[in-house]
Amino acid sequence: MATDPKGKSPAAKQAAGDASQPPPEPQARDARRDERIARLRDSLARARRVCVLTGAGVSAESGVPVYRGNEGLYQAFSAADMATPEGFARNPEKVWAWYIDRRRQLLEVKPNPGHAALARLEQLMAAQGRAFRLVTQNIDGLHQAAGSRDPVELHGNIWKTRCTECGTVSGQYGEIFEGLPRCARCKALCRPHIVWFGELLDPAVWQSAVRAACECDFLLSVGTSAAVQPAAGLIHMAAANGALVAEINLEETANTRWVDLSLLGKSGEILPRVVE
Ligand code: APR
């Protein structure tokens, strides 16, 4: 009998929502979702140390495009041109114009109830003396705008720039400029303070994320395709350290079949019901 990373049997897979089963009737589906939301709420209430990993899906209901899939940014833009150091070296004007466009769009959006629920969960757990760490792949700053304190930003932040020579990081929310930004210290060209494909994450940032994933007893993955490493590896690290793992995502991911609890749907609708 084939099992998976959590050593689940087919029966257990069915309980966790196996896609090979015919879709249930709407009422049955809603009842099952309600039951799962209640289970997630209970598991969260019992957890001592929680790590939440978020991706672009948590910002989708704010109007921020995700990266993959039919509506994803990479449908219209080449990641090789826009999200690699080589692409930036080839054409920094084009890359900066893209990031400035994305900054402008972000000035038009607000955090959604999913962001707010995670900020509330952080406060609730702090008040109860329980550990909570939010680790995000998002660069949009919407978690902070919703009140989350000091999320681990794995992939950087769109409102920050970094000097290509001296490494000085600067920039603030709302800054829109034309052309190429120069370093205030050494006048060299600045680049977006974002982790691009082929680049390593900041070691200190990565270390905080690994610690949060390995020390937690409950990891909740929200709105990520879990397609990008090393971020996606955090989910497996938590499982390997015995943590309960749950996932909220609009579509199935590579982890859906093995996590302890999978809720398919919009995080802006589900999270507020989980964090009451
Ligand atoms: N609620 C929950 N999940 C959602 C919602 C929603 N409202 N809308 C979309 N999703 C899900 C999609 O089904 C998809 O699985 O969010 C996921 C977003 O996946 P990606 O677009 O791959 O984004 P992400 O996982 O954050 O990408 C990781 O890749 O491109 C790099 O550096 C970039 O941080 C990014 C990393």
Side-chain angles (χ1 to χ4, degrees), residues 54-58 60-61 66-69 72 74 137-139 155 195 197 222-228 248-253 265-268:
T54 64
V58 82
E61 290 152 86
V66 297
Y67 293 93
R68 295 169 186 81
Y74 296 147
Q137 299 168 85
N138 299 348
I139 61 172
H155 298 156
V195 178
F197 290 104
V222 185
T224 180
S225 59
V228 169
I248 298 174
N249 208 59
L250 195 61
E251 304 155 299
E252 296 230 340
T253 74
K266 294 184 172 182
S267 52

Side-chain angles (χ1 to χ4, degrees), residues 156-179:
N157 186 300
I158 196 168
W159 298 107
K160 295 182 180 168
T161 65
R162 187 168 80 241
C163 175
T164 54
E165 291 301 323
C166 70
T168 300
V169 174
S170 61
Q172 68 275 352
Y173 175 79
E175 203 178 359
I176 301 289
F177 48 75
E178 303 301 331

Side-chain angles (χ1 to χ4, degrees), residues 33 36-37 40-41 44 52-59 61 114 117-118 121 218-226 235 245-253 255-256 259-275:
R33 169 176 293 179
R36 276 184 201 175
I37 288 175
L40 181 51
R41 202 169 37 236
L44 264 176
V52 176
L53 175 68
T54 64
V58 82
S59 294
E61 290 152 86
L118 291 174
L121 177 62
F218 189 93
L219 184 137
L220 176 60
S221 164
V222 185
T224 180
S225 59
I235 302 170
V245 176
E247 177 189 68
I248 298 174
N249 208 59
L250 195 61
E251 304 155 299
E252 296 230 340
T253 74
N255 299 322
T256 303
V259 294
D260 299 290
L261 192 56
S262 159
L263 282 95
L264 296 184
K266 294 184 172 182
S267 52
E269 293 171 5
I270 295 173
L271 282 169
R273 295 184 55 196
V274 170
V275 186

